[in-house]
Amino acid sequence: MNELDETLGLLHRDARTAPADLSAARARLLAELDAATVLPRRPKRARRFALPVAAAVAGVVAVAVVVTQQHPTAPAPGPAAVPPAPGPVPTSAAPDVRLMSAVQVLTRAADLTVGAADQPVGPGQFRYIAEHTWVQRGVHTGDATGYTYLWEQEVDRWIPADERDVWQETRRILNTGKFLGGSVPQSQAPEPEITDTDQGRWQGRCGDFFPQAKPPKKCGDPTDWDSPAFYAALPQDPAALYAKLQQLTKARGSTPSVMFHFGMEILRAGQMPAKLRAQWYRAMAKIPGIEVLAASANLDGRTGVALGLDDRHEIRQLIIDPATGGFIGERTIAGPEPDEPWLKPGTELGASAIRTAVAGRLGEIPPK
């Protein structure tokens, strides 16, 4: 658990503001999960930190739900209200989620997911995972001065049926010019530079896109949630899964915020089988303090229910389709006391939309 503790304890401010190398950005997310100060930032990453021993895996991960997503619209740079919106008359198939608790939403999502079937990946095929996301890139020019941009990125990943075969990931920066705010006007705030790991194409067996990184990535590692071995080792009972979440996060006190963010990150990895995912929802429903933050949250042209925990700095929302139980993405919103003094409370700081499919060959993008 030493590696996990080190990962969770990485630096706070610099990880959020520097236009950093993707090889560390994934670790920085959990570095910002503090018992008192939760800063759910996940700009992008090239390697995944481990459970509980660090494992080297490249690429931004996504959620393994068999749904089709369109690209998310860019979050507005100003305050973004997310009140419950009027919806259609509820039916037995689509209950009025405005009247449901977070536990009820997650329980319903679990019930719907039980009957879901993962699209099989046959020999020679690949699971294709695509994420279209808006993430922050900031620059600090002093203790309380700086500015923040919102970057748009697409990441495509191909995972072979046999994890020991070659994986591929491509990254593309689509937009770097959305200015969220700063202590100086945009004219005095140059955009952060695009680095070599912000975009490009990488291949590697077992998803080892950066073999020089340490610690090395291992095939079949039961501590690495990119590997099927990790999910095969998980219990199937929600209570046991909740205990597992506590164990995996005990280095940081197993606080509700840490458990919620950790649970969401594992969901986003795109490897969890549907049957296990249903029990994972039920386990997350046991986390104290989870609330329905927006009963009608639009993401990428789809309407879902946003769940999360209140936080004075930033609020990271897990968004579930109440009709299918699918995990359709996430959103980050500035809390009443944003970390950066130039950001307004309620500002949408990021969003992502995900789709998965099966590709017949490496590099092929399946039709939507």
Side-chain angles (χ1 to χ4, degrees), residues 64 110 113-118 271-281:
T113 305
V114 166
D118 295 316
Q271 299 292 320
M272 186 176 289
K275 183 178 178 180
L276 178 60
R277 192 164 62 248
Q279 306 310 318
W280 195 258
Y281 281 151

Side-chain angles (χ1 to χ4, degrees), residues 58-70:
V60 176
V61 294
V63 181
V65 289
V66 185
V67 295
T68 299
Q69 300 285 18
Q70 303 300 317

